[in-house]
Amino acid sequence: MKTCTVCGKEKPEGDYRLHSDKKTVMRYCNDCHLAKRRAQHSTKREERNAQFRARYAANVNGVKDKHAAARKAKYAKQGRAALIAWAAENPEKAAEANRKKMKRGRERLSDYYVRRLLCHPERSEVKQVPEILIECKRLQLMIERECREKR
Amino acid sequence: MKNAEELRAELSQTFAQLKAGEIKPSEAAELANLAGKMIGSAKVQVEYYALRKEQPRIEWLESPNAKVTGDSPAFMAKRPVD
């Protein structure tokens, strides 16, 4: 039996966590340890999450690449049908993903975004837009944006 | 500007000049506006032929490196390469 230095209760050694050396136990019991960690987590939650997001974005340890490869493999195995089924099951998530995709496209003037501006798939019969037309439209948009910034 | 390639070259030159401050934004905006009209006109032509399910050559869009982009093969994919 051992007395916890935080709550002062006497508890068996099994209720105490081991130190990193895996031989000696900590001075405070597992319940007090968890309470302390929870309190720490609630105060530093945003900071830690920001750190994790930054690490993910910087592709530390290649986790981002691993996720991308997994998504690609899943898509290759299941095809577009699985994606459409998922979108039908999760309309809100699908709408949010689409919003993000369009926002990214708008910022980068991606082929997808410019093609959609020229011939919207739901409003136009054109399935294939000449690449040269997309390039001209992109340049036109770039000039317009630059003009707006300079004015 | 006799075709889309020339328009692209003109637009990219204008963009570079605008970035370098060699031309006024108002001048560049005028050219962008004119380019928008030309692109819109070509788009209408492409849409018209798509609706009629025809595969004619649009000379204004023709170039040695012309490619088409999209999700599925349609009328322009079967167009013979010159």
Side-chain angles (χ1 to χ4, degrees):
Chain A
M1 297 291 271
K2 188 175 164 71
T3 309
C4 172
T5 55
V6 179
C7 62
K9 286 177 188 167
E10 206 172 282
K11 291 181 178 180
E13 289 209 355
D15 286 359
Y16 292 79
R17 294 174 79 87
L18 287 170
H19 278 295
S20 53
D21 61 7
K22 306 281 180 196
K23 287 172 192 165
T24 51
V25 291
M26 290 185 172
R27 286 178 297 166
Y28 42 86
C29 65
N30 201 21
D31 292 340
C32 294
H33 170 78
L34 288 175
K36 188 181 167 189
R37 290 304 300 268
R38 280 194 196 104
Q40 275 179 347
H41 181 72
S42 61
T43 54
K44 295 196 171 179
R45 184 188 166 91
E46 285 309 313
E47 193 185 324
R48 290 291 289 153
N49 283 349
Q51 279 176 357
F52 288 134
R53 275 190 215 106
R55 276 168 67 86
Y56 185 80
N59 200 17
V60 177
N61 301 331
V63 175
K64 197 177 175 184
D65 284 347
K66 228 184 268 179
H67 286 174
R71 275 200 304 274
K72 213 171 178 179
K74 193 179 172 189
Y75 186 80
K77 194 178 170 187
Q78 299 179 343
R80 199 167 166 74
L83 205 64
I84 292 167
W86 176 84
E89 281 172 24
N90 306 281
E92 283 173 18
K93 281 186 184 176
E96 182 60 32
N98 201 32
R99 261 196 297 277
K100 276 186 186 172
K101 187 180 176 184
M102 285 305 286
K103 193 182 168 197
R104 269 202 310 274
R106 201 160 47 239
E107 282 162 7
R108 298 176 193 170
L109 287 175
S110 67
D111 274 8
Y112 171 78
Y113 173 73
V114 179
R115 194 189 308 130
R116 209 178 154 92
L117 270 186
L118 277 169
C119 300
H120 195 284
E122 285 164 18
R123 292 191 290 269
S124 170
E125 285 290 311
V126 181
K127 298 290 179 216
Q128 293 193 319
V129 183
E131 198 172 285
I132 187 86
L133 209 56
I134 293 176
E135 285 173 23
C136 289
K137 184 73 185 172
R138 184 185 290 121
L139 277 166
Q140 184 216 341
L141 293 172
M142 280 162 71
I143 293 173
E144 282 177 355
R145 283 183 184 183
E146 193 68 26
C147 288
R148 266 200 297 274
E149 271 179 32
K150 291 213 171 189
R151 272 175 190 166
Chain B
M1 283 181 279
K2 287 179 183 168
N3 57 35
E5 280 222 344
E6 284 181 22
L7 175 66
R8 180 178 58 181
E10 187 72 35
L11 284 172
S12 88
Q13 193 189 348
T14 307
F15 183 69
Q17 285 174 334
L18 183 65
K19 273 269 186 195
E22 290 169 12
I23 56 169
K24 288 179 192 169
S26 57
E27 285 175 45
E30 284 303 319
L31 187 90
N33 187 19
L34 175 66
K37 303 282 185 288
M38 290 166 89
I39 294 163
S41 162
K43 186 192 91 173
V44 168
Q45 207 173 348
V46 169
E47 280 195 339
Y48 172 74
Y49 290 131
L51 275 169
R52 288 179 62 90
K53 300 191 179 5
E54 288 177 356
Q55 312 170 23
R57 284 178 59 187
I58 302 172
E59 282 196 15
W60 194 76
L61 294 174
E62 288 289 321
S63 77
N65 306 316
K67 285 182 197 165
V68 286
T69 61
D71 294 333
S72 59
F75 76 104
M76 291 185 86
K78 292 167 191 165
R79 194 176 51 177
V81 179
D82 296 328

